Amino acid sequence: MAAKNKRKRRPAIEVATPTDEQLNRGEYRRANHGHYRKVPVIDTMIARDQITPQEHALLGYYRDMASLADKSPLKSCIDFSVKGGDIGPSAAITSAILETARIERDLGSLREITRAVAVEDKSITQWCIEQFGGRERYDGNGKFIAIVPVGETKRVQMATMELRMAARRIVR
């Protein structure tokens, strides 16, 4: 008689949910195998109809180029002292560095907000708090709710408008 192969039971995969602090800073979506991934701010903005699909595509292009350029050990094409060994950066990384520099030059004064939202995944509210300061918001019972920017409505609307203008300056 042949012995039956018994399969070993694998322990259940423990799913570590994002902490409360992480949930306060962004949205998370469950990915494969029980892991969670942060939803990019620009994806959240398009879902809320704060930006158009074209603006989302342009901001996504800038995000991809800047992310690839930031991963490079060579931050500047002129500074060859950072290069490791005789092997230089790949052609894709070099072109991403050049493309990111061109886009950021075209953005001008809107570069800071665009980089913060598209690349660093800061919400517009978080960016406004960093730029203009924030205040604590309480509900009617005196319970703390959140920190919001000073002049919240006006500042957030202006920052959203600036981000949309910046997206229109990005040329593929």
Side-chain angles (χ1 to χ4, degrees):
M1 288 190 147
K4 290 186 179 179
N5 290 337
K6 288 191 176 182
R7 290 188 181 185
K8 291 184 180 178
R9 286 189 174 235
R10 293 183 183 174
I13 297 174
E14 291 186 28
V15 179
T17 59
T19 64
D20 291 336
E21 187 175 287
Q22 289 174 323
L23 289 173
N24 288 336
R25 290 193 177 144
E27 292 183 28
Y28 285 81
R29 182 181 311 148
R30 191 165 181 174
N32 56 354
H33 301 294
H35 299 286
Y36 283 84
R37 290 199 176 185
K38 185 173 182 182
V39 177
V41 172
I42 58 175
D43 290 353
T44 304
M45 291 181 77
I46 194 166
R48 294 179 182 168
D49 290 331
Q50 293 175 328
I51 58 176
T52 65
Q54 181 183 9
E55 292 164 346
H56 178 266
L58 293 170
L59 289 169
Y61 174 71
Y62 170 59
R63 175 189 176 93
D64 294 341
M65 289 294 115
S67 296
L68 185 58
D70 289 347
K71 289 180 184 174
S72 168
L74 180 64
K75 297 292 183 190
S76 169
C77 292
I78 298 172
D79 184 13
F80 295 108
S81 64
V82 182
K83 184 170 48 171
D86 292 332
I87 301 171
S90 70
I93 292 176
T94 303
S95 66
I97 292 170
L98 294 173
E99 183 69 5
T100 302
R102 182 194 61 79
I103 291 170
E104 290 180 348
R105 183 195 67 226
D106 291 346
L107 289 173
S109 63
L110 300 174
R111 181 184 93 46
E112 190 176 337
I113 187 171
T114 310
R115 180 168 265 287
V117 173
V119 180
E120 298 169 6
D121 271 337
K122 292 181 183 175
S123 70
I124 295 215
T125 304
Q126 290 169 336
W127 184 82
C128 288
I129 290 171
E130 287 179 6
Q131 296 298 310
F132 310 112
R135 63 179 178 78
E136 296 178 347
R137 176 180 284 166
Y138 296 92
D139 66 1
N141 299 329
K143 182 180 176 188
F144 174 76
I145 297 175
I147 295 178
V148 295
V150 175
E152 177 182 12
T153 306
K154 181 180 177 183
R155 301 257 193 223
V156 171
Q157 286 176 351
M158 288 296 292
T160 304
M161 184 179 69
E162 287 176 359
L163 182 68
R164 294 184 72 189
M165 287 181 357
R168 293 181 194 132
R169 286 188 184 180
I170 298 172
V171 178
R172 288 180 118 177

